[in-house]
Amino acid sequence: LYTPVLQTMARVVRQQRGDNDTVYSLHAPETSCIAKGKKHKKYEFGSKVSIASLSGSNVVVGIANFVGNPHDSKTLVPTLDEVAQWTGQQYARVLVGKGYRGHGQVGGLAVIIPGKKAHASAYAIRRHKTMCKRRSAIEAIISHLKSEHKLGRNYLKGSVGDAHNALLAGMEFNLMLFLRELAGNFLATMFWGFFYLVLSRKLRLSQNDTCS
C-alpha cells in the first residue's frame, strides 16, 4: 500500500540539483517544471499541454497532454494525430511558434514557422507574415482555457487526470463558442422578427388610412 509513497520519498532523498526526474510535489510526483521564458513568470509547474485550433473560428480541434517536459518540437506529431482522430480530416498546413523549428513538413502537412524567409519574393514574404499573424490567436485561446475553463489548475489525480482535465477544458471552450453562436443567431432572429412585425403593422395602418 505504501510502496509508491516510499519510492517517491527515496527519489526525493537521492535527487540532486539539475536532475531530469526531479520530484516537485509529493502528492503529484508527475509534476514537471516548465520554462515559460517570460519576465513576469519564468516557470510553471504542471504538465505540458499542446493545443490546436482552427484559424478563423478558433474551435479547438486537438488537445494533447504530455508526461514530463518534452521539447515543443516533439509534441507536434502527437497533437496532429489527435486532430486527425477527432476531425477525420487532413489539413494542408499548420501554423506553429518558433519553438517548433526543425519541422519543414510532417506527413505531407506544411509547417509554417514565423521568421524571415530567405531567397523569397516580396509577395511570398508578405503572404508568410499574414499567415503567421493568425497564429497569435492561439495565445488568447490558451489564456481563456487557463482562466475560465480550469486548465490553469487541475484537481484530478495523476497523469490520467491531467489528460482528462485538458480534454474537458477543450470541450467546454468549444461548447462556449457554440452557445455564443446560438445566442447570436437567436438574438438576430428576434431582432429581425420584431423589425418585420413593426414594419407589417405600419404597412397595415397605412393601408387602412388609404382605404378610409
Side-chain angles (χ1 to χ4, degrees):
L1 178 62
Y2 297 101
T3 300
V5 178
L6 294 175
Q7 291 177 348
T8 302
M9 294 300 297
R11 287 176 56 191
V12 172
V13 173
R14 292 195 306 266
Q15 69 185 12
Q16 299 291 329
R17 185 173 182 178
D19 290 347
N20 294 327
D21 58 344
T22 303
V23 177
Y24 296 99
S25 174
L26 293 178
H27 70 279
E30 69 278 358
T31 300
S32 301
C33 179
I34 303 171
K36 297 293 293 180
K38 299 178 181 178
K39 183 173 287 188
H40 67 282
K41 183 184 288 187
K42 295 184 178 181
Y43 301 97
E44 280 186 348
F45 295 89
S47 61
K48 181 171 286 189
V49 176
S50 182
I51 301 167
S53 66
L54 295 179
S55 177
S57 64
N58 295 334
V59 175
V60 175
V61 293
I63 185 163
N65 180 79
F66 298 92
V67 179
N69 186 17
H71 192 266
D72 288 345
S73 60
K74 304 297 183 182
T75 64
L76 181 58
V77 175
T79 305
L80 294 177
D81 292 339
E82 287 281 339
V83 173
Q85 182 179 356
W86 284 19
T87 63
Q89 298 182 9
Q90 296 292 334
Y91 297 93
R93 58 181 179 266
V94 57
L95 307 176
V96 298
K98 293 184 178 180
Y100 292 85
R101 286 175 178 171
H103 291 286
Q105 196 170 8
V106 177
L109 189 70
V111 180
I112 300 175
I113 303 174
K116 294 183 178 180
K117 294 178 68 65
H119 308 294
S121 63
Y123 170 76
I125 294 175
R126 187 166 58 251
R127 185 169 179 268
H128 179 75
K129 286 183 178 180
T130 302
M131 287 189 296
C132 290
K133 286 181 180 179
R134 300 177 186 174
R135 189 261 167 196
S136 60
I138 194 66
E139 299 296 338
I141 295 174
I142 294 172
S143 178
H144 283 298
L145 286 171
K146 286 184 175 181
S147 60
E148 301 175 8
H149 303 287
K150 306 297 188 298
L151 187 63
R153 193 169 190 84
N154 177 29
Y155 294 95
L156 304 179
K157 181 68 174 176
S159 301
V160 177
D162 295 338
H164 288 175
N165 184 67
L167 180 61
L168 291 172
M171 293 171 62
E172 185 179 353
F173 181 82
N174 289 341
L175 181 61
M176 181 200 67
L177 294 180
F178 173 74
L179 293 177
R180 186 178 296 173
E181 183 71 20
L182 192 64
N185 293 335
F186 176 76
L187 291 177
T189 303
M190 292 292 292
F191 171 78
W192 287 112
F194 179 75
F195 175 77
Y196 288 133
L197 180 64
V198 173
L199 182 62
S200 62
R201 182 178 178 83
K202 286 186 176 182
L203 289 175
R204 192 180 302 115
L205 291 175
S206 63
Q207 289 175 359
N208 293 336
D209 293 341
T210 303
C211 293
S212 61

